[in-house]
Amino acid sequence: MTRLRQRATVLAFLLAWRVLRLLPTRAAYALFDLAADRTVAGNGSSVQRLRANYARVRPELGPQELEALVAEGVRASLRYYVEAFRLPSVSGTDVDSLVRFEGALPELKSHLLAGRPVLAFLGHTGNWDLAGVWCARHLGTVVTVAERLEPEEMFRAFLDYREQLGMVIHPAERGTYERLRAQLATGEPVVMPLLADRDLSASGVEVDLCGHRARMAAGPAALAVETGLPLYPVTLRHERVGRRWGMVVTVHDAVTVAPAGSRDAVARTTQACADAFGSAITRHTADWHMMQRVFVDDLDPARDRATTTADRSAA
């Protein structure tokens, strides 16, 4: 049964890739908005997790405000798939009209023009594929890592899709860090954005995120500490461009990279990225489509129970 379900998922995604680009833009977005609203009404585990994550970063919200934010967040999350499925048929000119950069992009570009690679700390915000296409068009080679998906056919489909968009993709697996380090050692002026707001390994770094302990991937900071290359936190959010949705890419100021060999260098550098990221998701929470566990109290059920017990005792 599992194999049949996986096969059905693959076929559904492949069909969506072919059909959605044939629909009018407004109809495609409306279809996925409807799916998002039904998903929220179903209140499955992913929606519950999104709600819990939002409640942590926006504790000032009342129940109705939080529910409205969750509904907006699920819509933004499914909007990514509309854009991903349609992106192969979007012209370069349209990409340029839909993507707007703000912040430290001129500084980042100056490093590339000087022949240096740059690192970017990325989170699950907005549509990084759309931003990646823009970067490949205007900044040069984009090298990144993709999480392995199940089933394998699904992962291969996404891998091929992103490589066709002009990006170099490494699967997240043993040896990937060494391949990234070797790429940077060539000195080629590449942009290397790495998703890091969720730890997928046992080597993550514990940081403070919006007043709560969270685990983030160590890769971007570790590479920056080891190579001395600049590291820019980058966040994305949707904005209306006429009748379509566009993407605002904020390149935050490069963080101070702790010197190699110094105590807690990777942890301190990751925390600097978390500070910039936390500030952004507090302002634009619905664009953070994090439907997995990221906060330490959620990752450790025993600690979560202890915290709950302590809260009840204090009450």
Side-chain angles (χ1 to χ4, degrees):
M1 181 63 70
T2 299
R3 179 60 183 169
L4 290 175
R5 188 180 300 114
Q6 289 180 340
R7 185 60 184 165
T9 300
V10 171
L11 291 175
F13 269 76
L14 294 178
L15 181 63
W17 249 309
R18 288 168 172 78
V19 173
L20 271 181
R21 67 185 71 175
L22 301 177
L23 291 178
T25 301
R26 293 181 66 183
Y29 278 120
L31 178 63
F32 272 66
D33 281 348
L34 178 61
D37 294 344
R38 294 189 63 176
T39 299
V40 173
N43 197 33
S45 59
S46 295
V47 174
Q48 293 174 34
R49 176 49 47 202
L50 187 70
R51 182 183 296 111
N53 288 338
Y54 283 2
R56 287 192 185 276
V57 302
R58 297 291 302 279
E60 79 282 4
L61 297 181
Q64 290 185 334
E65 294 172 308
L66 180 60
E67 288 309 306
L69 183 62
V70 169
E72 186 183 353
V74 175
R75 281 194 169 200
S77 176
L78 291 195
R79 193 179 302 141
Y80 164 84
Y81 289 100
V82 178
E83 295 164 349
F85 292 145
R86 294 172 62 86
L87 193 51
S89 63
V90 176
S91 70
T93 301
D94 280 345
V95 168
D96 292 348
S97 70
L98 293 172
V99 178
R100 177 171 67 86
F101 273 74
E102 63 181 18
L105 179 63
E107 179 185 313
L108 185 152
K109 290 175 71 173
S110 70
H111 287 288
L112 296 172
L113 291 172
R116 299 183 73 198
V118 295
L119 292 157
F121 177 104
L122 212 63
H124 288 75
T125 58
N127 182 341
W128 52 85
D129 286 331
L130 181 59
V133 172
W134 189 97
C135 289
R137 281 175 51 78
H138 297 283
L139 300 182
T141 304
V142 176
V143 180
T144 189
V145 174
E147 178 184 353
R148 279 199 171 277
L149 302 173
E150 293 293 340
E152 178 70 13
E153 294 163 284
M154 179 75 71
F155 172 71
R156 284 292 158 193
F158 269 101
L159 194 66
D160 293 343
Y161 152 72
R162 286 173 176 147
E163 289 178 341
Q164 289 169 10
L165 295 175
M167 292 177 266
V168 177
I169 309 296
H170 294 282
E173 59 190 9
R174 185 182 298 275
T176 297
Y177 180 86
E178 287 71 22
R179 286 193 288 274
L180 297 177
R181 184 173 54 191
Q183 169 67 62
L184 295 173
T186 67
E188 180 185 353
V190 302
V191 181
M192 188 175 287
L194 301 171
L195 281 168
D197 60 335
R198 181 167 66 98
D199 177 39
L200 295 175
S201 69
S203 60
V205 177
E206 189 171 315
V207 298
D208 179 272
L209 179 64
C210 300
H212 300 276
R213 303 305 290 174
R215 290 188 64 81
M216 292 186 166
L223 288 168
V225 168
E226 189 171 346
T227 63
L229 291 170
L231 173 58
Y232 293 87
V234 175
T235 53
L236 303 92
R237 69 181 189 274
H238 283 95
E239 72 171 0
R240 280 288 188 181
V241 179
R243 296 184 175 182
R244 306 176 69 178
W245 284 101
M247 189 63 47
V248 181
V249 183
T250 303
V251 181
H252 301 268
D253 291 338
V255 300
T256 300
V257 177
S262 60
R263 184 174 179 272
D264 298 331
V266 172
R268 284 188 284 134
T269 303
T270 304
Q271 181 63 64
C273 293
D275 291 341
F277 185 77
S279 177
I281 63 173
T282 299
R283 294 193 304 273
H284 306 288
T285 311
D287 282 291
W288 186 42
H289 35 89
M290 177 54 73
M291 296 185 177
Q292 293 85 25
R293 299 175 188 271
V294 63
F295 293 101
V296 171
D297 283 343
D298 298 327
L299 293 167
D300 184 350
R303 179 170 173 173
D304 199 26
R305 285 195 299 272
T307 301
T308 302
T309 301
D311 289 345
R312 288 173 178 169
S313 299

